[in-house]
Amino acid sequence: MLKLEARPEPSRLWTYGSPLLALAITVLIGTAMFVALGKDPLKGLQMFFWLPINSGYAWGELLVKATPLLIIALGLAVCFRSNVWNIGAEGQYIIGAIFAAGVALMADASTSAWIVVPILLAGVVGGMVWAAITALLRDRFNANEILVSLMLVYVAVQVLSYLVGGPWKDPMGFNFPQSKTFEAATHIPRLFAHSRVNIGVLFALLGVAGLWIFLFRTRSGFSLQVGGLAPAAARYAGFSSRKALWTALLISGGAAGLAGALEVAGPIGQLTPYVPAGYGFAAIIVAYVGRLHPVGLVFSSLLMSMFYIGGELAQSRLGLTKSLTGVFQGLLLFSLLACDTLVNYRLVLQKNRNH
């Protein structure tokens, strides 16, 4: 019979091999799911793993989806490495979009294109303000940051609904709950003609390089990680757990807010109730599949964006529900959690002994 046996030390091979095994399991379960739904499994898998990358235009749409996921996941990686459990990046993303929209709505036909800079800064500030509420309650009252950050997501959704259905509602929008379309000057500059890919991709890549330097080449990054792995050792070394809490949450909130600003002033072009796209929650899976490493996050964000596009294609071409995206995301997460057992344990064959 097979038995789990503790390893003397974590397996380096399975630390990086576990996500690949989890992806393979996800594909296998996904195949069985398409068969059970009466659909051609090859066509189903094609929607998720081939069509999103089979042309230049497809790659552009993939990058549009991957950019906010990667930016948010970079911030979450800082939090999780610091043992700060920010589950409310979705709310910080929404508030960042609201702050950015507030600046964008001030523009008129004569406004300079430089307004993009304050729009993005407003998004960062909005995300940081929302994350600061969680940091304050944890710091001052020892409130659980998981519950606080998660509940603030629903508060952010209500704030958004109030604004697009009230003060910021477009009077010429046929009574739809949405703001007016932003002026052309407020739109995030695009990188290529005939593509929706914008400079957010560059911010994401700069974030990857910046996070790598911060985590592995600075004292502040080192202290955050030590505090997450061994709080007692961090206190002995003189590292401030309070500073680590605020630093991690503000970085994470600012990143989520930046993603919100890039989205609302980029592909969307106005504030609508559909700004919450689940990126903040999906980025949690991105962070863990990418092993909280900046380079790993690049690949996991591309994979997760393939799931988003695959779900949309499966809905339009196979007549399946769009929620299939969430199913694949969940399959990947739970497969990863199961496969991660192999990092600290190994399967050994134990012979039955007859007494």
Side-chain angles (χ1 to χ4, degrees), residues 211-268:
L211 181 60
W212 187 87
I213 294 171
F214 174 73
L215 290 177
F216 306 118
R217 291 293 183 270
T218 67
R219 184 179 184 276
S220 297
F222 176 72
S223 67
L224 283 177
Q225 296 182 82
V226 171
L229 293 172
R235 288 193 296 271
Y236 181 79
F239 299 147
S240 171
S241 59
R242 184 184 183 194
K243 180 181 178 181
L245 169 72
W246 280 92
T247 300
L249 278 169
L250 290 180
I251 290 176
S252 183
L258 174 61
L262 288 167
E263 192 73 8
V264 78
I268 299 178

Side-chain angles (χ1 to χ4, degrees), residues 6-335:
R7 297 181 186 273
E9 60 182 20
S11 169
R12 191 174 185 84
L13 172 64
W14 280 110
T15 296
Y16 299 102
S18 176
L20 297 177
L21 179 60
L23 177 59
I25 293 173
T26 300
V27 171
L28 289 174
I29 297 176
T31 300
M33 184 172 58
F34 283 121
V35 172
L37 292 171
K39 304 295 182 181
D40 184 344
L42 292 179
K43 285 186 178 179
L45 294 176
Q46 186 182 46
M47 301 294 171
F48 282 86
F49 298 103
W50 172 241
L51 293 184
I53 59 171
N54 72 340
S55 67
Y57 176 80
W59 270 101
E61 291 301 300
L62 191 71
L63 291 176
V64 169
K65 298 284 187 184
T67 297
L69 288 170
L70 177 55
I71 292 174
I72 298 172
L74 289 169
L76 289 178
V78 176
C79 273
F80 297 157
R81 279 180 174 270
S82 308
N83 204 26
V84 176
W85 301 103
N86 178 19
I87 309 299
E90 181 79 357
Q92 295 145 24
Y93 167 87
I94 295 170
I95 296 299
I98 290 173
F99 272 55
V103 175
L105 289 171
M106 297 178 186
D108 55 32
S110 63
T111 302
S112 166
W114 283 102
I115 195 174
V116 168
V117 175
I119 286 174
L120 295 180
L121 290 176
V124 172
V125 171
M128 293 176 74
V129 166
W130 212 241
I133 299 175
T134 300
L136 179 65
L137 293 176
R138 165 70 188 275
D139 184 24
R140 299 285 295 182
F141 304 104
N142 200 31
N144 187 298
E145 74 270 20
I146 296 176
L147 292 177
V148 173
S149 60
L150 181 59
M151 291 300 102
L152 283 173
V153 173
Y154 301 100
V155 178
V157 170
Q158 295 305 315
V159 172
L160 174 63
S161 297
Y162 166 72
L163 290 173
V164 296
W168 290 358
K169 186 176 182 179
D170 184 4
M172 305 298 291
F174 302 100
N175 207 34
F176 285 103
Q178 60 190 28
S179 74
K180 70 174 185 177
T181 302
F182 300 155
E183 296 289 340
T186 68
H187 295 173
I188 305 298
R190 296 183 179 183
L191 291 180
F192 310 106
H194 311 296
S195 173
R196 297 198 301 159
V197 180
N198 58 43
I199 60 172
V201 172
L202 302 181
F203 286 117
L205 294 178
L206 286 173
V208 169
L211 181 60
W212 187 87
I213 294 171
F214 174 73
L215 290 177
F216 306 118
R217 291 293 183 270
T218 67
R219 184 179 184 276
S220 297
F222 176 72
S223 67
L224 283 177
Q225 296 182 82
V226 171
L229 293 172
R235 288 193 296 271
Y236 181 79
F239 299 147
S240 171
S241 59
R242 184 184 183 194
K243 180 181 178 181
L245 169 72
W246 280 92
T247 300
L249 278 169
L250 290 180
I251 290 176
S252 183
L258 174 61
L262 288 167
E263 192 73 8
V264 78
I268 299 178
Q270 63 181 153
L271 196 64
T272 77
Y274 306 107
V275 167
Y279 290 147
F281 295 120
I284 297 173
I285 305 176
V286 171
Y288 274 101
V289 172
R291 287 305 189 223
L292 305 182
H293 191 285
V295 177
L297 298 182
V298 175
F299 296 102
S300 58
S301 62
L302 289 172
L303 175 63
M304 197 60 60
S305 61
M306 289 171 70
F307 288 171
Y308 269 102
I309 294 174
E312 295 170 357
L313 292 173
Q315 181 186 32
S316 61
R317 301 190 184 185
L318 296 180
L320 297 175
T321 173
K322 189 179 176 181
S323 59
L324 206 59
T325 295
V327 173
F328 269 86
Q329 291 175 353
L331 284 175
L332 182 62
L333 175 61
F334 284 106
S335 298

